[in-house]
Amino acid sequence: MSTFEERKAGFLAIELDGAGYQNLAAAVLAAESAGFHAATFADAPAPGRVNALQRAAFVGPVTRNIALVPEVDTVYTEPFHISTQLASLDYVSGGRAGWIVTAVDSSEAAAAVGRSHVSGEALAQEAAASVEVGRRLWDSWEDDAVIRDVATGRYLDVDKLHYVDFETPADFAGPAYSVKGPSIIPRPLQGQLPVLAAASLVGEGLVPVDSVDAVLVSAPTPELLVAEVRDVRARLGAAVAVVAELDVVLDSRGQPAVSRFASSAESGSTAEAGRARFVGSSAGLADVLDSLLKEADGVRLHPAVLDVELEELSRLVLPELRQRGSLRAPLQDGTFRDLLGLERPASRYANTTIAAIGSEN
Amino acid sequence: MTQHNRAIFQPTGQIQFGIFFQGVNSGTIWKASESGSQTDFESFRRIVQTAERGKFAAFFLGEGLRLREHLGRPHALDVAGRPDAQTMLAALAAVTRNIGLVATQNTTYNDPADLAHRLSSLDLISGGRAAWNVVTTDNAWTGANFRRGGYLDHADRYKHAEAFVETAKRIWDSWETSSGPARPVLHEGQHYTVDVTPRLARSAQYRPVLFQAGDSPDGRDFAARQADVIFSAHPKFDDAVEFRRDIVARSVAAGRGANAVQIMPASEFILAATDQEAQEKKAWVRSLQIGPQQAIAYLEQFWGRELTEYDPDGPLPEIDPAVEETSETRGSGFHGAKARQLADQWRAEAKDKGLSIRQFVTSRTARVDATFTGSYTAIADHLSEYARVGAVDGFNISPWLIPTGLDDIVNHLVPELQERGVYPTDYRGTTLRENLGIETPVRSTESVPA
């Protein structure tokens, strides 16, 4: 395979919310064996929807290659809890965890925890603060903090544990808070989990670009999606991976996608407003994905009916994309960072002692 | 079956086991060559599947909200660092079928609606096997990791906890039928207001089982009113019988049945083929639990100063504590005491018994009351007595070795108990409530606002 082909081959993620919780293991195994690289788990408040992070954790031990990426809200949740929960997800999945950062704009969510409703620019501030707390806490145990040194009786090397001492910035719109640290759990297997967020949440004055690893890009139509991917890349730079969002409704079992879409629209199952939707044949989708994967690092598919679309995707679409060389082979025993081409970073606190000693010279 | 008088306690003649994977503590040995990782998923999978093979009722995880400190720095000597309870339990739900999954969760630094939703999630994902071990805290030191900070007075913690538990129960009870619709739940409290329309229906066991571990009179009353099971600190036979009597009285006074609240004391088992071998094993376990550095650090937390110049095999320090109240190791459920008085008392006791620092600390810290040491048959006979009189409903075992610490219990003690007819030979059902034999709660309509 030439370098050029390697560069352009992208990855595919699938949103699994349609699996609910009863068929979760079967659904994620089907996605993994079809060759999807990542599964995502929606968590916006909806009747019957079980906590996304727990759904991701549940499938951790029964899968091996697929990355598991739950949405976790940053506005009405405790950053200390989120950080621990996501680090734990990384442990139970063998380093395949990620985080889709969301900032819920909902007066109901605010009332549920007895806080004022956060909206507008303040949402991104809350998200930015939570991501910063999470990342600092993941670094707060250096990789080799657990030493189990029998001779000195020390389980930990406390010089490798760090208070994160986070404080919300002076211009923080919501109630100011601080987090002391260190984390309650050793550094996650990946060091830092990949952090994803909607592109609209990331940028100057929002969640800083350098605190996310990938952005999710939406456009109203598949045609506009390519242009939007290019715009976002130009705006945010090359360091952040770009993932295009696409709803899919496919011809299936003799039923044309258009009529399936009409009936699903009637039954009230709707996709997010403003997200591009492909309605048509598997061959047509392969063409769309082929061109999208030339521009984006990956595409996340939102199937109309999980079981139905997944069958078509795995039987027809993914094999075709692999054939064309536009889809990467699944990563065997890799981490989510490996999938995104990210190195395992050192803890930001790792050199503080050495630097302090050095400065005395 | 004849109708029992619900005010009179009826022994079931059975005991059950739970396992408490402690995570952060000095009881888990990390120095032995067979000690495994405290964080790798494999350790959790190995031990929970062993427990399930032994028909254990429940697997408990603790909750950490701030890393323990000693003399102002993270505590270096003991096992530390643990995964989030519910995240780990959700993963373990996928590799187990029957065992209950108990998450210790604090009422002070969680939000009721969020916690109720997450516990419901775990309950649904696991097919009705989730439980909540309710704990409280009030210290601002822990609060330093949370948005709300320290906001609760010590005197208010049970009042606050009870309002929290009531709110969670109302959220779980808010469904007209098992599939809906849910009614909104409103709680206006002293510290915050909760206004939520629940999104998750009832699980196969109706709602998560509630465990509670408080031991003060307030804690016992709270448990008698709210809990299904008390995770108590009274495993010695006479003490257990007395504790049972007290809890039965409090349960009946709270308008519940005499058998409504089960009791599973925390305990440690050191077992072998013979009593002699078990005693030798105990000496080995204790020597690894309390090494020379642990012994000194234990005293330091009461003296409030470094004592590293003292010989662990010598007498207790002659100098006086540097503090009035002892609180120099934080995060161990530690309660302050008068330091000077304690030091005088300990010096006298150690001198009297001829104990070195290490011997004295071992005698203090070993779970003397909670340890069952002996041959498999002797301990099985002893536990059968508990079952016969109904002193307890079971024991919560804290293994001193991870992840193989239940092997001898499951391979040798459980069969002995099964032969004596006092321990289940299989799970009764698929939910934790069924397996513990706890009645399905009656939906409380008056607690739901019209």
Side-chain angles (χ1 to χ4, degrees), chain A residues 217-280:
Chain A
V217 174
S218 290
T221 68
E223 294 72 31
L224 291 170
L225 198 48
V226 170
E228 186 62 23
V229 165
R230 285 182 189 157
D231 284 356
V232 166
R233 220 191 265 289
R235 179 166 71 87
L236 300 181
V240 59
V242 173
V243 181
E245 299 263 53
L246 188 65
D247 287 353
V248 289
V249 192
L250 294 174
D251 301 340
S252 173
R253 303 171 193 182
Q255 239 195 320
V258 278
S259 59
R260 288 189 55 230
F261 175 60
S263 60
S264 77
E266 260 169 49
S267 71
S269 88
T270 51
E272 199 166 293
R275 192 160 65 209
R277 177 183 297 117
F278 175 86
V279 182

Side-chain angles (χ1 to χ4, degrees), chain B residues 15-58:
Chain B
I15 55 160
Q16 304 224 49
F17 285 150
I19 157 185
F20 186 48
F21 188 120
Q22 296 189 92
V24 174
N25 70 105
S26 58
T28 306
I29 292 171
W30 55 265
K31 293 173 188 168
S33 57
E34 57 267 59
S35 303
S37 166
Q38 295 287 321
T39 41
D40 284 357
F41 181 71
E42 183 56 20
S43 289
F44 293 85
R45 187 202 60 76
R46 170 74 164 75
I47 204 155
V48 77
Q49 289 182 342
T50 304
E52 193 162 74
R53 183 163 59 83
K55 312 300 177 196
F56 276 45

Side-chain angles (χ1 to χ4, degrees), chain B residues 68-196:
Chain B
R68 283 189 304 165
E69 287 175 1
H70 180 64
L71 301 178
R73 301 193 73 192
H75 186 52
L77 303 178
D78 297 340
V79 164
R82 58 176 151 205
D84 172 66
Q86 291 204 60
T87 308
M88 177 55 72
L89 294 174
L92 294 176
V95 297
T96 54
R97 293 180 71 85
N98 296 97
I99 195 166
L101 304 166
V102 193
T104 301
Q105 302 270 260
N106 199 293
T107 54
T108 311
Y109 296 110
N110 282 291
D111 286 304
D114 175 60
L115 187 67
H117 181 73
R118 290 174 57 238
L119 285 164
S120 282
S121 295
L122 181 64
D123 208 15
L124 290 166
I125 276 183
S126 64
R129 294 189 280 140
W132 172 21
N133 180 32
V134 183
V135 294
T136 67
T137 190
D138 57 74
N139 70 66
W141 179 77
T142 304
N145 281 335
F146 296 92
R147 289 180 196 250
R148 223 187 297 273
Y151 67 96
L152 198 56
D153 290 337
H154 187 73
D156 283 345
R157 67 195 178 125
Y158 276 115
K159 212 170 103 191
H160 176 80
E162 193 149 1
F164 189 117
V165 171
E166 279 287 350
T167 304
K169 283 185 175 177
R170 285 172 53 200
I171 288 171
W172 293 326
D173 283 355
S174 70
W175 293 74
E176 286 294 327
T177 67
S178 62
S179 58
R183 298 199 206 182
V185 171
L186 179 67
H187 164 76
E188 291 186 57
Q190 189 187 341
H191 301 286
Y192 49 79
T193 296
V194 177
D195 181 0
V196 65

Side-chain angles (χ1 to χ4, degrees), chain A residues 48-49 51 54 57-58 74 77-78 80-81 85 88 111 114 126 148 151-153 155-156 158-159 163 180-181 184, chain B residues 30 36 69 73-74 76-77 81-82 84 86 90-91 94 109-110 117-118 121-122 125 144-145 147 193 195 199 293:
Chain A
R49 183 180 275 157
N51 177 269
Q54 289 190 39
F58 179 80
T74 50
T77 42
E78 285 292 339
F80 191 85
H81 287 324
Q85 289 163 12
S88 304
E126 292 276 2
R148 300 170 78 118
T152 61
Y155 183 82
L156 300 175
V158 296
D159 291 334
Y163 294 108
K180 182 71 186 172
I184 196 69
Chain B
W30 55 265
E69 287 175 1
R73 301 193 73 192
L77 303 178
R82 58 176 151 205
D84 172 66
Q86 291 204 60
Y109 296 110
N110 282 291
H117 181 73
R118 290 174 57 238
S121 295
L122 181 64
I125 276 183
N145 281 335
R147 289 180 196 250
T193 296
D195 181 0
R199 306 196 300 273
Q293 298 89 355

Side-chain angles (χ1 to χ4, degrees), chain A residues 69-105:
Chain A
V69 196
E71 282 182 1
V72 183
D73 171 52
T74 50
V75 182
Y76 301 110
T77 42
E78 285 292 339
F80 191 85
H81 287 324
I82 297 174
S83 166
T84 313
Q85 289 163 12
L86 286 164
S88 304
L89 179 63
D90 207 40
Y91 277 95
V92 304
S93 64
R96 290 178 286 125
W99 175 15
I100 297 177
V101 169
T102 59
V104 64
D105 182 358

